[in-house]
Every structure is written in C-alpha cells, then in structure tokens.
Amino acid sequence: MKLFSANIEDLRTLYINNLKKALDMEQEITDALPKMIEKSTDQQLAAAFRDHLQQTQGHVARVEDLLRRSTGDIDTITCKAIGGLITEAEDSIKDAKHTAIRDITLIAAAQQVEHHEIAVYGTLRNWATLLGLSNDAQALESILNEEKAADKLLSSISDGVNMQAAA
Ligand SMILES: [Fe+2]
Ligand SMILES: [Fe+2]
C-alpha cells in the first residue's frame, strides 16, 4: 500500500486514537478479570484467568508506555466494544445457575474478549509497521502473541469443562 504524507498524518491520528481505545479496553479487562476468577469453579480456569490478569496488567503498562512515548500522555478513549462484551458476559453469567454451565459461559465470554483483543492488536501492529514505528510494532506483536496464547489455552480448558456441562 502506498501512503502519501497527508494519509500518513491521518493514519498516525487513527493509530494514536486506537492505542487510546486499547488502553481503555485493557483497563476494563483488568477490572473484569477478578470478578471472573471469583465466579470460576474449575481450578484450571481460575488459574488461567489469574495468569491472564497478570499479563493484562502488563498490557496496560506497555500500551501506556507506547502512548507516553508518542504523545507524552496516557489519555484514553472509551472502547465501546469491550463495554458491550463485558455487559453481555455479566448478563449470561447471571443466567447460568449450574457451576459447569457458568464455567462454559465464562470461557465463551473470555474468548470473545480475546478475539476482540487479537483483532485490535493485529490492526495496531500493522498500522505501526506502515508508520515505520518498528519498536511499537514489536511491542504490539508481543502483546498479540499473549492474547493468542490465552485464547488457545481457553480452548483447551473448554474441552474438559464442556464435557462436564454436557454430563
Ligand atoms: Fe490484553
Ligand atoms: Fe487478553
């Protein structure tokens, strides 16, 4: 793709605004994960959420770092998508009366969040590359890989939990 200088200015603004949304997203996930740990019955699931909470706190710090270096600030823009996903998750979890069903509901909700994060970081990494920001692209790629690994782990945990829920 060939970009002219005016396009580059627009792309830079788009990139920064989406980093600000990513920061809001990670902050909202940091608030949601402790509640998800509390609601998990499956020990492996609770442990996966605890590990990912730690990683998510790292994502907050890394996105803050990228923003600080680009703008001198750590402003956020509300990520409406994550707000919607979390509200939906809370509603479904409220409806799930049995523990195994609640666990699969938690996994489903968490995977939707991971898929959203994968889309966000894949895009941000590509934009950073287009803008020639190779350090940013590397940092975003490493967050992206952690989101992908979290999603994969949830898939493997869901195999066991789905069996219990169906039993
Ligand atoms: Fe994250
Ligand atoms: Fe994540």
Side-chain angles (χ1 to χ4, degrees):
M1 201 189 313
K2 196 158 169 56
L3 288 173
F4 298 100
S5 56
N7 299 135
I8 290 189
E9 254 330 290
D10 283 356
L11 179 61
R12 202 188 127 74
T13 306
L14 191 64
Y15 172 68
I16 296 296
N17 286 344
N18 279 274
L19 272 182
K20 290 178 182 177
K21 281 190 197 173
L23 180 57
D24 178 70
M25 172 186 79
E26 294 290 7
Q27 287 171 344
E28 290 200 47
I29 299 169
T30 305
D31 291 342
L33 274 169
K35 295 177 214 159
M36 296 176 79
I37 294 167
E38 210 179 289
K39 296 250 186 285
S40 308
T41 308
D42 185 270
Q43 287 309 302
Q44 221 193 335
L45 181 60
F49 283 153
R50 270 194 294 273
D51 286 349
H52 201 54
L53 174 58
Q54 244 184 14
Q55 284 183 328
T56 301
Q57 287 160 341
H59 300 169
V60 169
R62 275 139 98 188
V63 176
E64 280 181 352
D65 193 46
L66 293 178
L67 273 172
R68 212 178 280 116
R69 275 191 282 145
S70 287
T71 68
D73 228 315
I74 48 166
D75 292 338
T76 57
I77 294 177
T78 303
C79 172
K80 292 179 192 154
I82 203 72
L85 287 175
I86 291 171
T87 306
E88 283 219 30
E90 283 170 350
D91 289 348
S92 325
I93 291 157
K94 242 183 271 159
D95 292 341
K97 302 280 177 269
H98 299 284
T99 55
I101 301 295
R102 194 163 61 223
D103 281 348
I104 61 166
T105 308
L106 285 164
I107 293 173
Q111 285 195 287
Q112 286 186 18
V113 169
E114 293 313 321
H115 288 195
H116 180 65
E117 290 190 278
I118 288 167
V120 165
Y121 287 112
T123 300
L124 283 171
R125 186 232 13 226
N126 292 347
W127 288 348
T129 304
L130 273 173
L131 289 164
L133 304 168
S134 57
N135 286 340
D136 283 34
Q138 239 171 46
L140 292 161
E141 166 94 14
S142 120
I143 299 176
L144 175 64
N145 287 336
E146 287 185 1
E147 310 296 10
K148 285 182 181 168
D151 178 53
K152 226 172 158 181
L153 178 62
L154 287 167
S155 285
S156 80
I157 295 172
S158 81
D159 291 342
V161 175
N162 282 339
M163 295 285 283
Q164 285 171 38

